[in-house]
């Protein structure tokens, strides 16, 4: 029996975001998660009748409860089948894969990504479409519009299902299938990479350390790295997903994965170190004594991808988000393939991948992926690195040095100012926009501005235009600073300042030293201290 529950529109979802990300306490309000799930289902119209929906999450606090609610709502809304990961677990890239393999209409991925979890932290729900990727703007706009006018949500009277037992059960006439969270994904990885070569390297003494950050990649990494590739037990650290990620911030950067970083800089470090985030789509790559920036990782993976079976035939194109360094563009140029510059957010890559225009994509925020799914994929990046290291016999440092010697080096850093009052952050951006036209020709900290603009993107596949995607200031000589506000925070505003300097011949300098002038110029141009009251960024990555 379908039950109609009256509700009121009270979600304050940021327009243009591909999901809803809020504090757990906000999600725990009556009808809150239900309002969003119903808004998604309503946006799908009649299309959903008789279709399959995939549901899974990163195991954070509230994951299981919201999955049970969503299963009952899916039954009431006409879906024929729900496929759910065992224990409610599916990493974001694994969910993308299941959606594609099962021919599902879409999927609900329950995660707040790299944000902390627990009763006082964050929760989130995002909707992915049938290609396995984040919903595009026309779908998220429809969802957002529904959240503003919703008056009822639909459910069926049914008990919670047992999420831990594999197999099929029926809920309100709909079939629910609980699947192994890891199996399909592990098989996909095995089809892309030369597992035998990596295994031989491991047998030959190659070692690694993987920090799963008590988040979703633990079971995936244990199965693939330890069981299938033969790395020693204990290679995967923090391998059990915990509802609060063990109190840690599951963001694989140098601040939150400091323990791994310190280990990799020690004289007895393993050959390779890596980490992934809350929902498994981001990655951190560190060789013994050598951290690889995500922008460099994208370029190095693209330059060496032909060493892995899946990419031996070459790449169709390389796409990067605008704030990501231009290192990947140089690789595309040398390979004679197109380079695309998109706004921040993985959804913009989906169209390029679907159209067969790009094969590898990446963002400076530690997301890298390819056309094997429609999400960024943390373990995929780790395995491509392992394949390249095994096939070339080089170290991470060796790959990096060879790469810079060929292409030059893009020194790069991102400065985040977190929890800034929204009005102050908005004022900073408004002031910047107001003076864009006057910047060219002006000199700041010894650097002369060549061009300045507010990045707009025309999607080459459907000509849709996305405006106001971040302020770009390019200096003479090729250095650059980009200013944008985060779209994923849950309290206050986060100002991100992206700093980049290219050098063809200075390949072994320290990044802070190389970026010092650009950092000073960025503050002069945007008045960061004056607007935010901060003299230092909270996080430097
Ligand atoms: C941040 C990153 C983006 C990334 C987004 C979503 O967005 O800067 O590059 O696409 O998170 O990442 P995830 O899927 O891991 O949540 P923002 O708007 O906070 O800069």
């Amino acid at each position: 029996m379908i039950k109609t529950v009256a509700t009121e529109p009270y979600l304050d979802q940021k327009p243009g975001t591909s999901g809803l990300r809020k504090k757990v306490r906000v999600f725990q309000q009556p009808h809150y998660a239900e309002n969003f799930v119903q808004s998604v289902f309503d946006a799908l119209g009649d299309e959903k009748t008789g279709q399959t929906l995939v549901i899974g999450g990163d195991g954070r606090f509230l994951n299981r409860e919201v999955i049970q609610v969503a299963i009952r709502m899916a039954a009431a809304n006409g879906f024929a089948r729900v496929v759910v990961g065992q224990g409610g677990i599916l990493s974001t890239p694994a969910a993308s894969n299941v959606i594609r393999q099962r021919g599902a209409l879409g999927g609900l991925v329950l995660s707040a990504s790299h944000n902390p979890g627990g009763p006082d932290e964050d929760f989130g729900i995002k909707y992915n479409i049938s290609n396995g990727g984040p919903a595009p703007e026309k779908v998220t706009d429809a969802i957002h519009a529904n959240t503003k006018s919703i008056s009822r949500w639909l459910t069926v009277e049914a008990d919670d299902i047992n999420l831990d037992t594999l197999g099929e059960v029926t809920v309100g006439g709909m079939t629910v299938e609980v699947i192994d969270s890891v199996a399909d994904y592990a098989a996909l990885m095995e089809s892309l990479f030369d597992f035998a070569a990596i295994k031989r390297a491991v047998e030959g003494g190659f070692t690694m350390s993987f920090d799963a950050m008590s988040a979703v990649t633990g079971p995936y990494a244990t199965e693939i790295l330890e069981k299938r590739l033969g790395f020693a037990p204990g290679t995967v650290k923090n391998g059990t997903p915990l509802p609060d990620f063990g109190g840690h911030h599951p963001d694989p950067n140098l601040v939150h994965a400091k323990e791994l970083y310190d280990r990799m800089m020690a004289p007895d470090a393993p050959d390779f170190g890596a980490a992934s985030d809350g929902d498994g789509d981001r990655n951190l790559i560190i060789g013994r004594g050598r951290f690889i920036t995500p922008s460099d990782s994208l370029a190095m993976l693209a330059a060496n991808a032909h060493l892995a079976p899946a990419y031996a035939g070459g790449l169709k194109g390389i796409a990067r988000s605008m704030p990501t360094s231009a290192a990947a563009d140089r690789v595309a140029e040398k390979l004679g393939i197109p380079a695309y510059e998109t706004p921040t957010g993985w959804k913009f890559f989906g169209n390029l991948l679907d159209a067969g225009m790009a094969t590898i994509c990446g963002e400076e925020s530690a997301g890298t992926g390819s056309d094997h799914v429609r999400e960024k994929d943390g373990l995929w990046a780790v395995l491509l690195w392992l394949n390249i290291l095994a096939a070339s016999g080089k170290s991470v440092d060796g790959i990096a040095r060879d790469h810079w010697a060929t292409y030059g080096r893009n020194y790069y850093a991102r400065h985040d100012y977190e929890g800034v009052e929204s009005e102050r952050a908005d004022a900073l951006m408004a002031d910047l926009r107001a003076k864009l036209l006057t910047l060219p020709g002006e000199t700041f900290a010894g650097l002369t501005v060549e061009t300045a603009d507010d990045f707009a993107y025309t999607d080459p596949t459907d000509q849709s235009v996305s405006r106001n995607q971040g302020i770009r200031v390019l200096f003479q000589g090729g250095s650059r600073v980009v200013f944008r506000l985060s779209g994923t925070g849950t309290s206050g505003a986060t100002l991100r300042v992206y700093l980049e300097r290219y050098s063809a011949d200075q390949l072994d300098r320290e990044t802070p030293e190389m970026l010092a002038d650009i950092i000073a110029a960025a503050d002069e141009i945007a008045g960061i201290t004056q607007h935010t009251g901060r003299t230092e960024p909270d996080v430097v990555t």
Side-chain angles (χ1 to χ4, degrees):
M1 249 279 284
I2 296 174
K3 201 171 108 188
T4 305
V5 185
T7 187
E8 283 172 17
Y10 68 128
L11 300 188
D12 53 343
Q13 183 203 7
K14 280 185 204 152
T17 47
S18 53
L20 182 65
R21 202 177 280 189
K22 293 284 171 192
K23 292 285 172 212
V24 162
R25 304 264 182 233
V26 175
F27 261 104
Q28 283 171 326
Q29 297 173 87
H31 310 303
Y32 200 88
E34 290 86 343
N35 268 19
F36 185 72
V37 172
Q38 188 63 51
S39 296
V40 171
F41 290 165
D42 285 342
L44 305 177
D46 295 336
E47 236 192 314
K48 58 189 174 286
T49 310
Q51 294 274 6
T52 297
L53 179 74
V54 173
I55 307 181
D58 62 11
R60 69 177 61 224
F61 194 86
L62 223 58
N63 193 48
R64 284 173 177 262
E65 291 83 343
V66 174
I67 287 178
Q68 300 287 359
V69 167
I71 288 173
R72 284 188 283 270
M73 290 182 67
N77 277 277
F79 282 97
R81 174 180 285 265
V82 158
V83 176
V84 60
Q86 192 176 20
I89 293 288
L90 279 179
S91 76
T92 289
S96 182
N97 181 46
V98 174
I99 293 169
R100 293 165 68 79
Q101 288 194 345
R102 299 291 181 124
L105 178 67
L108 291 172
V109 183
L110 279 47
S111 169
S113 190
H114 50 286
N115 293 12
D120 296 315
E121 299 294 353
D122 294 348
F123 188 74
I125 309 177
K126 50 190 179 176
Y127 181 69
N128 283 25
I129 58 172
S130 61
N131 74 353
E137 265 168 20
K138 61 177 188 307
V139 178
T140 57
D141 287 351
I143 296 170
H144 182 245
N146 290 342
T147 66
K148 297 282 164 203
S149 61
I150 189 165
S151 60
R152 57 92 187 94
W153 53 275
L154 306 178
T155 189
V156 294
E157 302 269 13
D159 291 336
D160 284 358
I161 69 151
N162 183 343
L163 284 171
D164 299 308
T165 305
L166 297 179
E168 290 189 0
V169 292
T170 304
V171 172
M174 179 187 78
T175 304
V176 181
E177 182 184 355
V178 179
I179 62 163
D180 183 320
S181 312
V182 176
D184 292 352
Y185 178 84
L188 175 67
M189 292 301 115
E190 201 153 357
S191 76
L192 301 175
F193 301 115
D194 188 348
F195 273 34
I198 303 172
K199 256 180 113 161
R200 279 196 299 277
V202 176
E203 281 157 15
F206 184 91
T207 53
M208 84 172 278
S209 182
F210 182 87
D211 189 348
M213 306 189 93
S214 305
V216 80
T217 38
Y220 297 87
T222 304
E223 170 65 27
I224 295 171
L225 300 175
E226 295 186 6
K227 298 210 178 117
R228 299 200 185 190
L229 293 172
F231 281 103
T235 294
V236 177
K237 311 258 186 303
N238 302 314
T240 304
L242 300 175
D244 66 348
F245 307 125
H248 299 300
H249 198 132
D251 192 357
N253 61 35
L254 296 185
V255 177
H256 300 302
K258 185 159 187 314
E259 224 178 282
L260 176 70
Y261 178 80
D262 290 344
R263 170 134 181 64
M264 294 308 299
M265 295 302 137
D268 62 344
D271 295 296
F272 187 65
S276 193
D277 72 332
D279 62 333
D281 57 2
R282 298 186 177 200
N283 69 86
L284 171 69
I285 302 294
I286 317 179
R288 182 186 297 131
R290 172 65 67 191
F291 162 64
I292 304 291
T293 69
S295 292
D296 270 351
S297 180
L298 171 66
M300 292 169 193
L301 289 177
N304 295 289
H306 59 275
L307 296 173
Y311 311 100
L315 308 178
K316 292 169 184 150
I318 306 171
R320 65 167 173 89
S321 68
M322 180 274 281
T324 303
S325 96
D329 301 12
R330 296 175 185 278
V331 175
E333 197 184 340
K334 182 142 190 270
L335 293 174
I337 56 175
Y340 301 94
E341 184 178 31
T342 64
T344 295
W346 203 261
K347 63 187 173 195
F348 294 97
F349 295 136
N351 284 357
L352 298 173
L353 295 169
D354 281 348
M357 297 167 81
T359 306
I360 287 192
C361 310
E363 296 190 283
E364 52 65 42
S365 53
T368 336
S370 86
D371 56 2
H372 67 291
V373 289
R374 293 294 180 273
E375 285 279 5
K376 50 188 180 265
D377 188 344
L379 267 174
W380 170 90
V382 171
L383 291 166
L384 181 50
W385 264 101
L386 285 173
N387 194 146
I388 290 167
L389 296 172
S392 67
K394 292 183 194 169
S395 66
V396 172
D397 186 52
I399 294 274
R401 285 178 187 279
D402 288 354
H403 189 93
W404 294 329
T406 307
Y407 298 95
R409 182 169 174 185
N410 291 69
Y411 290 88
Y412 189 88
R414 186 177 94 186
H415 289 188
D416 289 343
Y417 298 81
E418 294 177 343
V420 179
E421 276 171 58
S422 294
E423 298 75 39
R424 297 180 85 169
D426 290 343
L428 181 148
M429 292 302 285
D431 279 6
L432 258 177
R433 290 199 162 95
K435 66 179 177 200
L436 274 184
L437 292 176
T438 67
L439 288 177
E442 279 198 59
T443 299
F444 302 89
L447 293 165
T448 305
V449 176
E450 192 164 283
T451 58
D453 70 351
D454 194 347
F455 181 59
Y457 175 69
T458 304
D459 189 312
T461 66
D462 62 8
Q463 308 308 314
S464 59
V465 181
S466 304
R467 297 184 202 284
N468 302 326
Q469 298 295 322
I471 306 287
R472 300 190 287 193
V473 180
L474 190 70
F475 300 104
Q476 287 172 7
S479 297
R480 185 179 81 149
V481 58
V482 171
F483 304 89
R484 63 177 282 279
L485 298 185
S486 159
T488 59
T490 53
S491 51
T494 295
L495 170 68
R496 303 203 197 281
V497 183
Y498 309 81
L499 308 139
E500 178 178 357
R501 174 171 171 186
Y502 175 72
S503 175
D505 48 13
Q506 299 185 66
L507 306 180
D508 215 3
R509 302 278 294 273
E510 294 299 321
T511 300
E513 173 202 344
M514 292 297 277
L515 296 180
D517 293 351
I518 303 164
I519 294 168
D523 190 40
E524 271 189 45
I525 292 171
I528 299 171
T529 305
Q530 173 206 332
H531 275 290
T532 65
R534 312 279 178 86
T535 50
E536 296 287 334
D538 298 283
V539 180
V540 176
T541 49

